[in-house]
Amino acid sequence: MGTVVKLNVQEGVARIVIDAPPVNAQSLAVRRGLWEAVQIAEADPKVVALAILGAGRIFSAGADIAEFEEDGQDPWFGTLYNRIEACRKPVVAGIRGAALGGGLELALACHFRLATPDARLGLPEVTLGLLPGGGGTQRAPRLIGAEAALRLMLTGQPMGARAAEKLGLIDGVVEGDLAEVTVQLAREIGQGSEGAPPRRTRDLRTGLADPQGYEAAVARARAELEADPARAVLEAPHRVIDCVEGALLLPFETGLAYELEAFEELRGGRQSAALRHAFFAERAVARPARLGEAKPAAPRRVGVVGGGARGTSLAAAVAAAGAEVRLMEQDLGHLEAAIGRVQAHLEGEVAAGRMKPEAVAQALGRVSGAERDGGLSGCDLVVETMPEESGLKGDLLARLSELLGPGPVLATTARRAELKTLSAPLAHKARFIALRFAGPPHEAGLLEVGARPDAEGAAVARGFGLARLLGVAAIWAEPAVAEFIAAAGRAAGDDMVKRGEASREEVAAARAWFGMVAEADAGDADIAGWRAEEIIAPICLAMANAGALMLAQGVVENAAAIDVAMMAGEGFPRHAGGPMQWAEARGLARVEAELKARAESHGEALWAPAPQFAELVKNGQGWADL
């Protein structure tokens, strides 16, 4: 078992603890440890029951996703869970914090389940283009029926312990010492069983008791999926529904085999590979090398200079996220008007369902006005938001830099002006950064953080801290990349229209088919998949080529940053992984050849391959090798 799984027998109960920080992921070592612990406990005549717990604040966050990139090693998840369920002695799971994915599947394989009041239980595999592959699609419906099980699996959203108890997913909520109560329950069940077989989830029929209602729930889920074009193109939700239906129609062992086959097909498919890439890419770009040793810290008080649309949007986002805002305008009249715009932004969030009505007053209470520069005292980040066409940015930034001194980080939202020019007159250049939101800050999903080469890592980290506060993706880029790469894709579409290779309506329909934000209304245009692929391929080729040029110029640190930027900021479909991942999945040699062919027939302006393609193809490498 090593150190990741601990076994201790206490008065007839084998206490098995997963101790694999930070989230008790079920790596191969953990699975082998659990298997060995169950074997030992079942064979020990002094043991009457088993209790499985997680060390620390979490039961188990499930699989180590990195293992999905390689062939699985025994015991695989389903094999382990079947072994636990088959144990001749009662097994009780004690869930603290969270049981997600394989963590919940492990708990479902146990014979009884307890949880703390704050525990969260979920099956989020669909967000990775997968389905629960360790029996989750078969055991969960037996406990809670098709409707609740499908909601759990298709949304990927966890449920709270109280809701899980009400549905029957767990047997009880423990207010006191979870480990003590779990061990005590295991002891009582084991001592009272008198040789009776444990209650196995596979044998339960509670959730299958109403076959007509079950099938109706399955049919509704299918209809809702088909009615949503953005979700209908995803493979995993369809397979989830099929497997949940199989829980009613198939013998348990056959249902498990059907589930595992679906899991393996999805795991080897293009969509899941792209979604897993997105998962790792987002984590890889969260702490770029440009930060050095500095850690992204969320600002506690943000100064916003300028009460126009961009400034009030930023003020609303920061206040809604829980930080204080000092909003500076030239006089009281402009300030009052600006605070009114902040309120309008917040009320718009309520109308969109992203904010509760009672939270508006709380957010507004965190906004205070400043008519003079001194009102920015105490801010750890000051953001200048004046329109670029105003011509006032340079003088304003110079005055702010001198006023603020070397303490607060000074930022600009300028998207087009060069930082070298803007920063030339600043007194504290090393504390100056650019914050480029993809759209209005209160709605944006992406923040591109840029700075001069000599900027302090701590200053750059403050920009990433702001993104963390606002809950948006952030990348290091200087200058911004997302808009440039998206423009290359639009240019490719325009080029096809100009040359008569596709109509504008077809281009829009193909983008919608792919899951990409359309540049024009596709209307009711219907397009065949093969035709959509013909149109989408040049668009993605152009974006991947533009991304490679950005890499060549050192604008971003890696290809992952480009993919994250395009998914979060420009609507590139997550299930395609971003343009760089799309190119790598297509094959860089093939992409280079296609770019060369289009450069010869369409001109080199858009299509001449970036130099990295030849280098990587020659050495048989990918973007990560740059």
Side-chain angles (χ1 to χ4, degrees):
M1 285 175 286
T3 60
V4 293
V5 176
K6 296 179 172 62
L7 171 62
N8 181 28
V9 177
Q10 299 177 349
E11 299 179 11
V13 176
R15 177 172 167 159
I16 301 170
V17 179
I18 305 172
D19 190 4
V23 295
N24 292 332
Q26 293 175 43
S27 63
L28 177 61
V30 168
R31 298 198 302 276
R32 286 176 173 170
L34 286 170
W35 182 281
E36 183 180 352
V38 171
Q39 293 280 85
I40 292 172
E42 187 178 45
D44 189 342
K46 299 188 295 296
V47 171
V48 299
L50 293 71
I52 298 181
L53 301 156
R57 296 182 295 175
I58 189 169
F59 178 71
S60 174
D64 179 352
I65 298 171
E67 286 195 45
F68 293 164
E69 306 302 317
E70 304 171 354
D71 293 336
Q73 297 187 56
D74 292 331
W76 195 239
F77 300 92
T79 305
L80 170 64
Y81 305 153
N82 291 340
R83 174 67 187 90
I84 291 171
E85 188 175 54
C87 183
R88 298 188 303 273
K89 298 173 181 179
V91 184
V92 182
I95 302 168
R96 180 187 306 281
L100 303 175
L104 180 54
E105 289 185 293
L106 168 62
L108 294 177
C110 296
H111 306 130
F112 296 88
R113 289 159 292 281
L114 300 176
T116 56
D118 63 343
R120 306 287 289 170
L121 301 94
L123 295 169
E125 287 86 350
V126 71
T127 62
L128 296 174
L130 298 168
L131 53 72
T137 68
Q138 304 302 296
R139 291 189 176 95
R142 281 169 161 75
L143 292 170
I144 61 177
E147 184 174 2
L150 284 169
R151 184 168 61 249
L152 193 66
M153 297 179 212
L154 293 177
T155 67
Q157 296 298 313
M159 68 173 64
R162 298 292 183 188
E165 181 186 28
K166 185 176 181 180
L167 286 171
L169 194 67
I170 61 175
D171 298 291
V173 176
V174 178
E175 297 283 356
D177 188 316
L178 176 69
E180 182 179 336
V181 175
T182 302
V183 169
Q184 180 60 31
L185 176 62
R187 183 179 296 113
E188 291 174 359
I189 295 172
Q191 291 175 344
S193 63
E194 297 181 354
R199 182 193 72 173
R200 302 189 304 173
T201 304
R202 69 170 62 196
D203 299 328
L204 301 179
R205 306 285 299 178
T206 306
L208 312 180
D210 177 13
Q212 289 184 331
Y214 193 105
E215 283 286 17
V218 169
R220 283 194 302 273
R222 282 204 176 101
E224 291 171 2
L225 184 60
E226 291 296 340
D228 185 349
R231 296 176 63 231
V233 299
L234 302 177
E235 298 166 355
H238 292 282
R239 302 307 298 271
V240 165
I241 296 172
D242 292 343
C243 288
V244 169
E245 184 176 36
L248 175 70
L249 303 178
L250 301 173
F252 185 78
E253 291 294 342
T254 307
L256 286 181
Y258 184 60
E259 174 196 84
L260 182 58
E261 180 182 7
F263 175 86
E264 292 296 347
E265 287 181 4
L266 290 171
R267 183 165 74 111
R270 174 73 185 92
Q271 286 190 2
S272 181
L275 287 165
R276 298 196 305 271
H277 165 76
F279 176 87
F280 288 115
E282 287 165 346
R283 282 147 185 80
V285 303
R287 286 196 53 120
R290 189 64 182 74
L291 269 61
E293 297 298 321
K295 296 181 179 180
R300 293 169 296 178
R301 181 180 294 166
V302 178
V304 178
V305 181
R310 189 181 296 174
T312 54
S313 172
L314 176 59
V318 171
E324 293 182 40
V325 176
R326 293 285 178 84
L327 182 57
M328 192 176 85
E329 258 294 355
Q330 54 186 305
D331 55 44
L332 182 59
H334 283 85
L335 183 57
E336 290 177 347
I339 292 178
R341 286 190 286 273
V342 172
Q343 182 173 351
H345 285 309
L346 294 171
E347 290 172 348
E349 292 295 283
V350 173
R354 294 188 290 264
M355 192 174 183
K356 294 182 179 179
E358 58 271 21
V360 172
Q362 297 173 357
L364 282 174
R366 289 189 280 269
V367 180
S368 59
E371 298 175 60
R372 295 182 175 85
D373 299 342
L376 299 175
S377 62
C379 295
D380 39 19
L381 173 66
V382 174
V383 187
E384 171 276 315
T385 67
M386 297 292 288
E388 292 181 59
E389 58 272 16
S390 69
L392 302 175
K393 281 186 178 289
D395 291 342
L396 177 59
L397 286 168
R399 183 161 63 94
L400 287 170
S401 179
E402 184 175 357
L403 169 76
L404 296 171
V409 173
L410 177 61
T412 179
T413 57
R415 297 192 62 82
R416 297 174 184 85
E418 290 190 5
L419 286 193
K420 182 178 180 181
T421 302
L422 284 177
S423 62
L426 301 190
H428 305 284
K429 297 178 178 62
R431 302 287 290 172
F432 179 60
I433 62 173
L435 301 174
R436 301 169 178 122
F437 289 92
H442 74 288
E443 297 176 347
L446 171 71
L447 173 58
E448 295 181 79
V449 182
R452 292 167 51 99
D454 57 354
E456 296 175 3
V460 178
R462 184 64 74 187
F464 279 80
L466 176 64
R468 180 174 296 181
L469 173 72
L470 301 181
V472 302
I475 67 162
W476 160 260
E478 182 51 48
V481 298
E483 190 174 349
F484 175 82
I485 295 172
R490 290 192 296 270
D494 292 342
D495 188 53
M496 283 187 281
V497 173
K498 179 180 177 181
R499 295 174 180 275
E501 297 173 351
S503 69
R504 193 160 297 281
E505 291 74 20
E506 282 184 308
V507 171
R511 290 174 67 98
W513 171 88
F514 188 59
M516 191 183 295
V517 175
E519 297 300 328
D521 185 9
D524 297 325
D526 191 16
I527 191 167
W530 65 269
R531 178 60 176 150
E533 288 180 353
E534 278 187 344
I535 296 171
I536 284 296
I539 293 174
C540 291
L541 284 172
M543 287 193 284
N545 199 34
L549 289 171
M550 293 294 95
L551 283 171
Q553 296 169 18
V555 172
V556 291
E557 290 186 351
N558 48 47
I562 293 172
D563 285 337
V564 169
M566 294 305 294
M567 289 185 291
E570 294 292 341
F572 197 96
R574 191 176 177 84
H575 64 265
M580 311 310 284
Q581 167 66 9
W582 178 91
E584 193 153 39
R586 192 174 182 86
L588 296 186
R590 177 183 177 184
V591 167
E592 182 189 31
E594 289 173 329
L595 285 169
K596 286 181 177 178
R598 292 191 79 84
E600 292 176 2
S601 60
H602 291 59
E604 295 190 352
L606 187 62
W607 304 107
Q612 282 91 338
F613 283 104
E615 175 188 346
L616 294 177
V617 170
K618 176 183 177 181
N619 297 315
Q621 296 176 321
W623 300 120
D625 297 304
L626 286 175

